[in-house]
Amino acid sequence: MSDTPRVALFVTCLADLFRPSVGFAAVKLLEEAGCAVEVPRAQTCCGQPAYNSGDKADARGVAEVAIRAFEGFDYVVAPSGSCAAMIKKHYPELFADDPVWGPRADELATRTFELVSFLTDVRGMETVEASFDGSVTYHDSCSGLRELGISEQPRKLLASMEGLMLKEMEESDICCGFGGTFAVKYADISNKMVSKKTGHVEEAEADLLVAGDLGCLMNMAGKLKREGKATRVRHVAELLAGMTDQPAIGEHKGTPAEKARVDG
């Protein structure tokens, strides 16, 4: 492998459809880490929604598209612990009895990483050049934490940012209540979980809430917005890349006058 690894960015559905800035931030960080980044056009979803709903047939079909799209790259990196875990942990399970796709799924799993863990654990990044004048609290998303062991890596890079103060919230490692299809199937339970989470966010008295999964971030941002809380929400990649010039998640993109009409 060359000193400039060829990295395929798995953009993820949520970043593509709701928050493209996360993808651009990931590209910036990967290039700063000395990688040549490409975004395969054939990529779609990782297949997790179908897989978690028990639809293994459709999950396999989607996974086969991803396996083909990401062949030939040194690494595959996703700005999402849940999507990275799907490929790294569950593709091998999905194709365990398949003599053709099984080895291809296993091989892809060895090359797949979540963004921040790739930057720190694989590329050895210890600092970022971005700065942030304010306080930040970090939410540990379930898949990243429990399936990939991501906890200290983002905190290490956040701590390297000039001006940033990290404020740990209580129960930062407890689920926010999103859980993909869980939030749809068990809406009342999900709402109670995210209410507890936003309470801890408020108690931390941080200016900004960050995490590594857009599903969690959109869930928490929506609840904070409905509760009238002041804490802003961003993906950790946006903050680490210094790309905080656009509205935070859940904030209106219009002019101040337009925003005032929407808010009230």
Side-chain angles (χ1 to χ4, degrees):
M1 188 182 300
S2 69
D3 292 336
T4 305
R6 185 168 170 246
V7 173
L9 177 66
F10 182 41
V11 177
T12 79
C13 299
L14 292 181
D16 182 37
L17 296 172
F18 295 102
R19 195 73 174 176
S21 58
V22 174
F24 291 116
V27 171
K28 183 175 185 289
L29 289 166
L30 288 168
E31 289 181 341
E32 289 176 351
C35 302
V37 186
E38 298 180 42
V39 183
R41 293 179 63 87
Q43 65 178 289
T44 55
C45 176
C46 69
Q48 186 183 92
Y51 183 78
N52 287 348
S53 298
D55 185 357
K56 300 297 178 64
D58 280 341
R60 284 172 60 98
V62 174
E64 288 171 10
V65 172
I67 292 171
R68 285 193 294 264
F70 294 122
E71 286 182 326
F73 292 92
D74 295 321
Y75 298 103
V76 177
V77 175
S80 163
S82 61
C83 295
M86 177 65 193
I87 298 173
K88 197 171 187 69
K89 298 293 184 179
H90 300 297
Y91 275 20
E93 298 172 0
L94 192 60
F95 295 103
D97 299 324
D98 191 314
V100 176
W101 288 98
R104 296 170 74 177
D106 292 343
E107 194 275 335
L108 175 59
T110 65
R111 295 184 286 115
T112 300
F113 295 88
E114 182 272 341
L115 173 65
V116 180
S117 66
F118 177 78
L119 294 173
T120 57
D121 300 336
V122 178
R123 297 302 292 168
M125 182 180 285
E126 296 185 350
T127 62
V128 292
E129 297 180 1
S131 62
F132 180 75
D133 185 17
S135 55
V136 173
T137 192
Y138 185 83
H139 165 70
D140 296 283
S141 300
C142 294
S143 293
L145 176 64
R146 292 169 176 80
E147 295 189 289
L148 301 177
I150 300 167
S151 177
E152 295 305 316
Q153 298 96 322
R155 289 172 169 84
K156 178 180 180 179
L157 294 184
L158 288 170
S160 75
M161 294 180 61
E162 182 180 355
L164 185 146
M165 177 185 297
L166 186 61
K167 292 185 174 181
E168 294 287 357
M169 75 174 91
E170 185 180 351
E171 297 185 339
S172 65
D173 59 344
I174 300 299
C175 180
C176 73
F178 176 62
T181 55
F182 174 87
V184 178
K185 293 179 179 178
Y186 306 103
D188 291 342
I189 298 174
S190 174
N191 184 55
K192 290 182 180 179
M193 294 173 73
V194 74
S195 295
K196 187 174 183 180
K197 175 63 67 172
T198 56
H200 291 322
V201 171
E202 185 177 30
E203 290 166 0
E205 297 183 339
D207 301 314
L208 189 64
L209 166 66
V210 299
D213 273 281
L214 265 176
C216 303
L217 288 164
M218 292 170 65
N219 186 43
M220 294 183 292
K223 188 63 174 178
L224 287 165
K225 187 73 171 178
R226 292 190 296 275
E227 292 175 338
K229 305 291 176 61
T231 309
R232 292 167 295 146
V233 181
R234 293 189 183 276
H235 192 285
V236 66
E238 295 176 309
L239 186 59
L240 294 175
M243 297 174 63
T244 58
D245 54 340
Q246 73 165 347
I249 296 171
E251 290 187 352
H252 187 57
K253 295 184 178 181
T255 65
E258 291 171 334
K259 184 178 185 297
R261 287 198 296 270
V262 171
D263 291 343

